[in-house]
Amino acid sequence: MLVVFGTTAQTTPLTFDDALTIAFEHNPSVAATEYAERVAHRERQAAIGLFMPKVSIKGAYTHFNKDIKLDFNPMLASFAPILGEGLSLLGLDLSYTLQRRNTAFLGGDVVMPIFAGGKIWSANKLAKINEERTREQSRQVRGALVVELVERYFGVELARRGVAIREEAVSVVGQHLHDVVALEREGMAVESERLYAEYRLAEAERDLQRARLQLETAQRALQTSLAEEHAYIPVTPIFILPKIEPLEYFKSMASLNNPQLREVDRVREMARVSMQLHRADFFPEIVAMGGMLFCDHQLSSLVPRMAVGVGLNFKIFDGLNREYKTSAARQQLRRVEMVERKAGQDVALLVESLYNQVQQVLSSLSAVTRSEQFSEAYLLAKRKAFQEGMATQSDVVDAVLNLSRARLERVEMAYEFDVALARLLEASGMSGVFSQYLHSKTAQSLY
């Protein structure tokens, strides 16, 4: 089996598990979901605060255009004719200042919810469910990243093997061309043999150049997934498994763990709680409240410095706004229920399709392996026949290239198995266990 690979730049060895760790730590998509989880957690903490009393400090400075007074002097003057001049001699001033024109105060108040018709409980439920929904979205991103990394990590390995196989083919065909040229000089080979060898060598060199470009592209794609500028070389080989669990196992795991289904379930629960939240608008709101002035300047002594009480707010009519919003929330719940049912069917179909794809690759891989074994035996036979004069150089060249194609096809089929398995695990909500399949005792590595 071929073990030497061509490289295009100085690289650092990297296992798949280490690549997964780097991707989870540095990939921007994962970082974005982590921030989304933090946002949802903070919003849940904010919702818990709705149960707490609201304490505030208030202050004000006021300037009136004049003092506020009660003045009874005009009334006293009206009694002067009756009581005589003696009343005026007393010099009575029957005016009283209620509030001076300049005043300031500093105080605080407390408002504590007693009953809100279930609004506070519903708001907290929504925040909790939204946090759970955000975690499921994060699981989707991580699962997709595992599939992406499988495609790109083993894609680099596939490209490297393709380069190595084609380099070997170019080397062997080039040697045969050299031998044909030597035989042609001695008159032991015809010109058509040399032309055919040159044609096949040019074809092999073209394929090699294409493979090298594919390797460079695959390497850049891996760097993008890892969010690293440094070039890495995979050291975990492409692998296959003789068999995997039955279809029903993956379907049952998908129904329990698929992050998309779990997210839709959270959306349905949010729609149900949202309907409860709108229903709470039909109930009154009751709060306990209290206030106190800490200090004041020229504030009337008639103004109380402390007060406590209970407040009530009950909407009688608001233009049917509550009724329509509650109805809309009910329809939204029914819509989400239909979406959830359709999503369950789609996921089950997806799991079955991916499972069949894995099984198809496994069945095809055995045929490709036998084809490779036949190509090796065929090449040996053609070389022996050529030495005995029973075959031409063209036959040997064709046999060499057939073996190269068979080897490359086998590696490609194994790569397809790894990618299909990763997608099947993602659909089943088990992307995190891909490494367990990779390191299982039954895994067969392609070195």
Side-chain angles (χ1 to χ4, degrees):
M1 186 61 63
L2 198 61
V3 294
V4 180
F5 305 102
T7 57
T8 59
Q10 185 158 4
T11 54
T12 302
L14 181 70
T15 65
F16 179 80
D17 292 337
D18 291 340
L20 202 57
T21 301
I22 293 174
F24 284 158
E25 291 178 353
H26 298 158
N27 191 278
S29 298
V30 176
T33 60
E34 291 176 352
Y35 283 113
E37 289 185 38
R38 295 175 189 175
V39 170
H41 181 66
R42 294 303 184 189
E43 289 178 347
R44 184 181 179 185
Q45 290 178 323
I48 294 175
L50 296 175
F51 288 106
M52 307 300 176
K54 306 299 184 293
V55 182
S56 58
I57 295 178
K58 298 179 180 179
Y61 167 79
T62 305
H63 171 74
F64 301 103
N65 64 336
K66 63 180 180 178
D67 294 342
I68 301 176
K69 294 183 178 182
L70 287 177
D71 190 359
F72 295 101
N73 289 318
M75 183 183 298
L76 181 62
S78 64
F79 288 103
I82 301 175
L83 299 178
E85 296 182 357
L87 182 62
S88 61
L89 296 175
L90 294 176
L92 295 177
D93 184 8
L94 297 183
S95 65
Y96 179 75
T97 301
L98 296 177
Q99 177 61 62
R100 296 185 180 278
R101 64 190 303 179
N102 294 306
T103 183
F105 70 89
L106 179 66
D109 57 46
V110 179
V111 178
M112 178 70 182
I114 297 177
F115 177 76
K119 287 183 180 179
I120 297 178
W121 286 104
S122 298
N124 275 267
K125 287 181 182 178
L126 281 175
K128 179 182 178 181
I129 298 170
N130 184 60
E131 185 178 17
E132 295 172 351
R133 177 189 178 186
T134 305
R135 283 198 291 265
E136 296 305 326
Q137 292 174 339
S138 179
R139 286 186 60 218
Q140 292 181 43
V141 172
R142 289 176 175 268
L145 181 58
V146 172
V147 174
E148 178 184 298
L149 192 61
V150 169
E151 292 177 344
R152 296 183 175 182
Y153 181 91
F154 292 114
V156 174
E157 181 71 2
L158 173 64
R160 290 175 57 235
R161 289 177 180 269
V163 169
I165 290 172
R166 288 181 172 91
E167 284 179 345
E168 184 184 44
V170 168
S171 177
V172 174
V173 175
Q175 183 60 44
H176 278 284
L177 176 60
H178 180 271
D179 295 341
V180 170
V181 172
L183 292 175
E184 185 181 9
R185 290 192 188 124
E186 297 176 1
M188 299 178 63
V190 296
E191 182 183 8
S192 60
E193 290 285 335
R194 175 179 58 79
L195 294 175
Y196 184 76
E198 291 175 347
Y199 160 70
R200 298 311 297 267
L201 177 61
E203 189 178 56
E205 289 175 343
R206 181 190 61 194
D207 292 340
L208 174 59
Q209 181 63 24
R210 185 184 300 115
R212 286 173 175 168
L213 293 176
Q214 291 174 348
L215 175 58
E216 293 177 2
T217 302
Q219 187 69 59
R220 286 195 296 270
L222 178 60
Q223 291 172 349
T224 301
S225 295
L226 299 177
E228 290 276 356
E229 294 296 331
H230 185 72
Y232 290 98
I233 180 172
V235 295
T236 302
I238 300 174
F239 73 99
I240 58 172
L241 294 168
K243 63 178 181 179
I244 58 176
E245 291 84 356
L247 174 61
E248 292 305 320
Y249 168 77
F250 292 101
K251 281 188 174 182
S252 62
M253 296 302 295
S255 63
L256 295 174
N257 299 322
N258 183 278
Q260 293 179 338
L261 291 183
R262 291 171 65 90
E263 182 188 359
V264 172
D265 179 71
R266 299 302 184 275
V267 172
R268 176 183 56 79
E269 189 65 16
M270 290 179 68
R272 185 185 66 81
V273 177
S274 178
M275 185 173 65
Q276 295 177 351
L277 183 62
H278 288 298
R279 285 177 176 173
D281 283 335
F282 291 95
F283 295 91
E285 297 179 2
I286 302 175
V287 298
M289 53 188 179
M292 181 177 182
L293 294 181
F294 304 140
C295 59
D296 63 85
H297 173 66
Q298 297 188 156
L299 184 65
S300 174
S301 60
L302 297 177
V303 178
R305 266 49 178 179
M306 185 180 69
V308 295
V310 177
L312 171 66
N313 180 24
F314 185 44
K315 295 179 182 179
I316 302 299
F317 179 74
D318 62 350
L320 301 179
N321 179 274
R322 294 170 295 176
E323 287 79 359
Y324 287 133
K325 285 188 175 180
T326 303
S327 177
R330 186 181 300 108
Q331 300 304 319
Q332 174 70 3
L333 175 60
R334 292 175 180 173
R335 186 190 74 84
V336 174
E337 289 174 347
M338 295 298 103
V339 171
E340 183 179 26
R341 182 183 305 176
K342 181 65 166 57
Q345 296 172 350
D346 290 343
V347 169
L349 182 60
L350 175 63
V351 169
E352 183 175 355
S353 175
L354 292 173
Y355 183 85
N356 292 336
Q357 184 177 347
V358 171
Q359 295 299 327
Q360 182 180 357
V361 171
L362 285 177
S363 61
S364 301
L365 188 60
S366 60
V368 172
T369 302
R370 289 193 294 269
S371 175
E372 181 183 359
Q373 294 171 350
F374 168 77
S375 298
E376 291 176 350
Y378 183 76
L379 176 58
L380 292 176
K382 285 300 179 181
R383 282 176 172 171
K384 184 176 180 181
F386 174 74
Q387 293 173 357
E388 297 176 354
M390 301 296 293
T392 64
Q393 284 281 2
S394 299
D395 295 332
V396 177
V397 170
D398 289 340
V400 170
L401 296 178
N402 286 337
L403 177 59
S404 298
R405 282 193 296 269
R407 285 178 174 175
L408 184 59
E409 186 177 6
R410 181 168 180 263
V411 178
E412 289 174 345
M413 293 297 294
Y415 170 77
E416 291 180 10
F417 170 82
D418 293 345
V419 174
L421 176 63
R423 290 175 178 170
L424 175 61
L425 294 176
E426 179 194 20
S428 303
M430 299 188 298
S431 293
V433 303
F434 180 85
S435 292
Q436 297 180 15
Y437 284 87
L438 172 62
H439 299 295
S440 65
K441 296 180 179 179
T442 59
Q444 301 173 4
S445 301
L446 272 68
Y447 291 100

